[in-house]
Amino acid sequence: MPNLNQRLPCAYAATLHYGTHTVPLTPLKQTSPALAINFGGATHFGALFTDGAPTDTLRINIGGVKYWLGEFCAPGTYAPAGTNTCIACGMGHFCRGGHHRAPCTYGAISCTGINHATDAALPAGAAVNVFMTSDDVNTYIPPTDITQWAKISCCSTYAPGGALADSNIPDSLNNKNTACADGIIGPGTYLFVARYPTTQFDTSDCMTATPGLSNAFVAVFDHAVGHRIIHGNNVFQHFVDVNNAPYQSWTISTAPVGHWLQNTNQTNVSNIPAQATGLTMCVFELK
C-alpha cells in the first residue's frame, strides 16, 4: 500500500512512497488529471503523465487512458523520456516545467546557461543563419566539449551516385548527385567539422599540428534549412540553403568561394575527434 509521509522542512511538501520508489507531491495541481491525496487536512497532488514511463512506476487508468505517476519537474529542469529524475534543462534549450523541453529559438546564443525556464530573446548583434566567426562564438556561445554534441550526419566517401562536384563548375554544387549526405536540419545549434589528414598539401592541420587540413564551424539556425555534405574534385565542404528546406541552392558554405580547402577552427569546442586516415565530414547538434 502507498505510504504518505510528511517531508520536512517544507511544511507544504509531501512524498508518496510505494515499494522502493518515492514521488514528491505538491500543494498545487500541476497536471490534469492528477492524483489527489488528502493528508493532515490538506490536499496534495501527484503529477500524471502519458509519455514514456519508467519501469515499475505506479500506473493509473482513467477513462481508458493509461497514466503514470511521476515528479513534476521545476521550471529549468526536465525528466528525460523513460525516467523519473529531473535534470538540468541544458544549453540551448528551455524547460517550462514538468516534462517540457524544447530548443531555444536562437539556440545556444540565447540560452547560454544550464537551466532555462523560458525561450530567451536574440542578443543584439548575435549572428544567426550563418557560419559564425571565432569572435561570434566566443562572444555568444559558452565553451563546450564534444560530448555535449550528438552526431547527426557523417560521410567519408564520394556521393553514392558517383558524380563529382567541381569548384570550377558552380552548378555542380547544387546537384544532389554530388552530395555524400543530404538532409534537413534546424532549428538549433550545429557544429560542422571536416577532417582530412594528408601530406598532399603543405599545411599543418589547425587542430592537431600534423600534416593535413581541418575545419570546424558553428551555426545557429532559427528555422529548418537544407544541408549537404559535398566530397568532390578539390571540394570537401558543408553547404547550407538557409532559404529552403529541402535544399535547392546553397547560400552559405564553410569556405569562401574559390578557397574550398579551408584550414581553420572557428569554434570553442574541445576534444573534436581527430581522423587518422581518409576524409570525414560530420554534422553535430547540441544535445
Side-chain angles (χ1 to χ4, degrees):
M1 292 290 292
N3 174 38
L4 188 68
N5 296 312
Q6 283 290 86
R7 192 169 64 172
L8 301 175
C10 179
Y12 296 102
T15 301
L16 178 69
H17 297 258
Y18 62 95
T20 59
H21 303 278
T22 61
V23 176
L25 306 178
T26 65
L28 298 177
K29 184 179 180 181
Q30 304 282 12
T31 63
S32 184
L35 178 67
I37 299 176
N38 189 280
F39 178 77
T43 300
H44 304 268
F45 295 94
L48 296 178
F49 303 98
T50 58
D51 56 0
T55 57
D56 301 326
T57 191
L58 185 64
R59 301 169 189 265
I60 301 174
N61 191 313
I62 302 176
V65 179
K66 296 180 180 179
Y67 295 88
W68 62 276
L69 180 68
E71 180 175 357
F72 189 88
C73 299
T77 66
Y78 78 109
T83 72
N84 194 28
T85 302
C86 299
I87 64 173
C89 190
M91 188 187 303
H93 296 78
F94 70 106
C95 299
R96 292 193 296 259
H99 289 185
H100 171 267
R101 185 178 191 254
C104 295
T105 301
Y106 301 107
I109 285 179
S110 58
C111 287
T112 55
I114 300 301
N115 291 343
H116 291 276
T118 61
D119 186 5
L122 177 69
V128 295
N129 304 319
V130 298
F131 289 114
M132 304 174 72
T133 66
S134 57
D135 286 343
D136 291 330
V137 171
N138 292 329
T139 300
Y140 296 106
I141 297 183
T144 56
D145 184 84
I146 193 63
T147 57
Q148 295 172 258
W149 299 79
K151 186 187 298 182
I152 61 171
S153 181
C154 235
C155 65
S156 57
T157 62
Y158 293 119
L164 290 180
D166 192 321
S167 60
N168 296 313
I169 308 174
D171 285 347
S172 69
L173 303 173
N174 294 325
N175 181 352
K176 184 176 181 178
N177 292 325
T178 64
C180 58
D182 178 78
I184 298 174
I185 59 176
T189 304
Y190 294 85
L191 169 66
F192 300 80
V193 179
R195 306 303 305 267
Y196 191 11
T198 178
T199 56
Q200 178 181 353
F201 309 102
D202 185 20
T203 57
S204 178
D205 184 291
C206 65
M207 298 188 197
T208 64
T210 58
L213 293 169
S214 290
N215 58 70
F217 293 84
V218 171
V220 173
F221 300 112
D222 62 7
H223 62 281
V225 300
H227 164 256
R228 284 184 183 169
I229 301 175
I230 295 181
H231 178 192
N233 180 17
N234 76 2
V235 176
F236 56 96
Q237 299 295 337
H238 298 273
F239 295 83
V240 177
D241 182 349
V242 299
N243 297 324
N244 302 286
Y247 184 108
Q248 294 183 23
S249 177
W250 71 276
T251 55
I252 61 172
S253 79
T254 52
V257 174
H259 300 278
W260 302 116
L261 303 179
Q262 186 72 268
N263 186 32
T264 181
N265 181 5
Q266 298 289 318
T267 77
N268 57 5
V269 182
S270 58
N271 297 314
I272 296 176
Q275 179 71 5
T277 60
L279 167 66
T280 295
M281 296 175 287
C282 298
V283 183
F284 300 82
E285 182 177 9
L286 190 63
K287 292 180 181 179

